[in-house]
Amino acid sequence: MKICVVGLGYIGLPTASILATRGFDVIGVDTNPTIIDKGNCGKTDIEETGLSTIVDAAAKSGQLKCQKDVVEADAFIICVPTPITSEKKADLSYVEAAGRSIAFKLLTGNLVVLESTVPPGTTNNVLRPILEESGLIAGKDFHLAYCPERILPGNLLNELIKNGRIIGGIDEDSRAMAKKIYETFVEGNIYLTDSTTAEFVKLMENATRAVNIALANEFALVADEIGVNVLEAINLANKHPRIDILHPGAGVGGHCIPIDPWFIVEKSKEISRLIPLSMKINENMPSYVISLILEAFSEAEKEIIGAKISILGVAYKGNVNDARESPAVPIIQKLKYVGAKVTIYDPLVTNFRFEIERDFKKTIFESDALIILADHRQFKDMNLSVIREMMNEKPILVDGRNIIDDSDGFIFRGIGR
Ligand code: SAJ
């Protein structure tokens, strides 16, 4: 069976590679020539445990070939990005373009699966009519399904294989055909439903995460107001058998949680109230970090203009090299705007909008303030007494991820502490 995977990003490349290792004849399609060249050599820039091994195996076996054009195949899997517009709506242009390129090659009996995160109804109301421009009818001449990815960045390969999947087909045959492909590599359960339910399920998962993080963030703001340490309070509340409060932090980044929940709001503007409010609470956390920095400078009786401020970690979360939608960006922009000299250090991120200092010692030397924005392992193990000695007088430490327990000798601020 020949499968054409359209979009070789974070989801598409691993999916194409694993299908190739399961014996499918896989054509990986991408618009980026570097990704194509690397894929054909069995290489990837995505740093995830075990991933380079399967990409390499897929390319070497000859079962995976990467190229820029969609070809005729038995099945097509669409894994393209769905960014958000300035009006907080899903930008479906990549999905539409993928659909159009597939429509040209579509044959009777084919299956098309969409994996990209989309507003409910997209498979049936947006993708289906584009594919039917081929002259073939969905459900009669070809099969169509929606199967959302559920991978946690940082644990990609494991989750690709182990997690259960939802397959939303537009009819029984579409569901059955998609299941046949996914069950070749998915060890978790596969649950079948219709395409709009599957789209909604994915968005519900990420909205639940966003709302729960917002609640933790709100608890932190309240704790600061009433003089309680939120970490101790959360720890005690979580002793309740049915309570599991998440971690307050400097903001919510990544390509999923700050974006996908808006796709529900887009479809239910009059009804959704909790989701947009939660998203705004999370979006406001970088401003809260700025207010903590200003407060600490005022306590130290130091001017922020000209001060050396060292940012530790710009990844959107700990132990990943991904800085997409990182809350560090608005924080750095604001600090630069108020005239601070900002030095940025991250041991993992290489692709960032501002220059990254590679030398940790240079970053902290004669610094006035350290601002932790990503909970990388390295920052949890820092020797703060040595670091303090290398900094200027009255050193400031703002812990945007609440990873520091003992801040002796620093003017300290945490989120909710
Ligand atoms: N964060 C907090 N507090 C927390 C947890 C996270 O502030 O208690 C922040 C993180 O620092 C990060 C952001 O939220 O900036 C998102 O991190 P995350 O770990 O919640 O989510 P992602 O984006 O790495 O991956 C999520 C996953 N979803 C869930 O855990 C529900 C993953 O399973 C999805 O497949 C992925 O989104 C996706 O592709 O949708």
Side-chain angles (χ1 to χ4, degrees):
M1 189 177 192
K2 188 167 181 175
I3 302 181
C4 184
V5 177
V6 185
L8 296 177
Y10 206 84
I11 302 300
L13 184 66
T15 305
S17 304
I18 204 143
L19 286 167
T21 62
R22 295 299 186 267
F24 291 101
D25 195 1
V26 182
I27 302 294
V29 174
D30 206 283
T31 49
N32 183 333
T34 314
I35 290 179
I36 295 172
D37 291 346
K38 287 200 165 164
N40 282 328
C41 300
K43 297 209 170 346
T44 173
D45 286 338
I46 304 168
E47 281 179 30
E48 287 278 350
T49 311
L51 180 63
S52 54
T53 312
I54 68 151
V55 176
D56 188 47
K60 277 199 181 124
S61 68
Q63 295 297 119
L64 171 67
K65 294 200 177 66
C66 303
Q67 57 184 60
K68 75 176 194 339
D69 294 317
V70 169
V71 290
E72 285 181 3
D74 300 295
F76 300 86
I77 301 181
I78 304 174
C79 304
V80 295
T82 40
I84 194 160
T85 67
S86 52
E87 286 98 45
K88 307 270 191 212
K89 290 198 169 132
D91 172 359
L92 295 177
S93 57
Y94 299 101
V95 173
E96 290 164 2
R100 276 192 294 273
S101 60
I102 292 168
F104 281 119
K105 303 286 175 186
L106 205 59
L107 299 170
T108 304
N110 281 174
L111 165 73
V112 181
V113 180
L114 178 62
E115 281 210 18
S116 313
T117 307
V118 291
T122 302
T123 304
N124 211 21
N125 304 327
V126 179
L127 184 58
R128 178 184 192 145
I130 292 174
L131 295 169
E132 289 185 342
E133 282 168 22
S134 62
L136 301 177
I137 306 294
K140 178 170 164 277
D141 303 317
F142 70 94
H143 309 289
L144 179 58
Y146 180 73
C147 180
E149 58 83 12
R150 273 179 160 171
I151 293 164
L152 185 76
N155 192 26
L156 191 152
L157 210 52
N158 199 26
E159 300 225 347
L160 180 65
I161 295 166
K162 296 266 161 35
N163 288 351
R165 297 289 285 255
I166 312 290
I167 293 178
I170 60 153
D171 59 14
E172 206 62 55
D173 286 350
S174 300
R175 287 190 271 273
M177 192 169 167
K179 185 168 181 256
K180 272 206 175 110
I181 295 175
Y182 282 90
E183 68 191 7
T184 62
F185 68 91
V186 171
E187 290 176 9
N189 292 333
I190 294 180
Y191 303 95
L192 304 180
T193 182
D194 64 89
S195 60
T196 306
T197 303
E199 290 162 339
F200 190 40
V201 167
K202 169 69 188 177
L203 299 176
M204 282 167 63
E205 290 167 7
N206 284 357
T208 301
R209 187 93 174 147
V211 170
N212 282 320
I213 296 171
L215 184 61
N217 284 334
E218 185 160 301
F219 285 149
L221 303 194
V222 173
D224 275 343
E225 185 69 23
I226 62 175
V228 163
N229 181 336
V230 80
L231 296 188
E232 186 191 351
I234 288 176
N235 186 30
L236 292 173
N238 283 350
K239 302 284 182 219
H240 183 289
R242 285 171 298 281
I243 300 290
D244 190 9
I245 301 168
L246 293 177
H247 311 288
V252 173
H255 50 297
C256 307
I257 313 295
I259 297 170
D260 304 346
W262 287 114
F263 298 174
I264 297 181
V265 181
E266 167 182 348
K267 289 285 170 187
S268 59
K269 267 220 158 55
E270 303 299 317
I271 302 164
S272 279
R273 288 182 294 158
L274 184 59
I275 299 170
L277 181 59
S278 303
M279 297 296 274
K280 284 181 187 144
I281 290 170
N282 292 338
E283 284 167 11
N284 198 45
M285 292 312 286
S287 302
Y288 190 63
V289 173
I290 293 289
S291 72
L292 294 177
I293 296 171
L294 294 177
E295 216 181 83
F297 269 87
S298 156
E299 188 184 322
E301 295 173 329
K302 280 185 178 188
E303 279 290 332
I304 201 156
I305 301 172
K308 179 175 173 184
I309 299 188
S310 308
I311 303 293
L312 301 186
V314 292
Y316 84 87
K317 68 174 185 178
N319 309 316
V320 298
N321 68 350
D322 189 342
R324 278 178 293 176
E325 312 294 324
S326 170
V329 173
I331 293 170
I332 293 166
Q333 280 170 331
K334 184 71 184 183
L335 291 175
K336 283 177 178 273
Y337 179 76
V338 298
K341 283 192 289 172
V342 183
T343 310
I344 301 163
Y345 175 82
D346 192 297
L348 303 175
V349 172
T350 47
N351 188 5
F352 191 56
R353 115 160 47 172
F354 301 103
E355 194 191 329
I356 295 187
E357 170 59 63
R358 292 279 146 222
D359 186 332
F360 183 69
K361 282 193 181 148
K362 265 196 197 161
T363 309
I364 55 169
F365 184 67
E366 294 187 342
S367 177
D368 294 290
L370 302 184
I371 319 294
I372 300 174
L373 296 181
D375 39 352
H376 290 319
R377 229 164 272 122
Q378 179 187 338
F379 303 145
K380 291 183 183 168
D381 302 334
M382 288 187 301
N383 186 336
L384 284 173
S385 50
V386 173
I387 289 173
R388 209 173 47 219
E389 294 309 312
M390 295 175 70
M391 293 177 66
N392 284 339
E393 265 183 23
K394 294 194 189 168
I396 291 167
L397 175 57
V398 176
D399 181 2
R401 292 295 169 193
N402 286 336
I403 56 174
I404 301 298
D405 294 331
D406 183 5
S407 56
D408 272 1
F410 285 94
I411 292 174
F412 180 79
R413 293 290 184 281
I415 311 286
R417 294 162 73 191

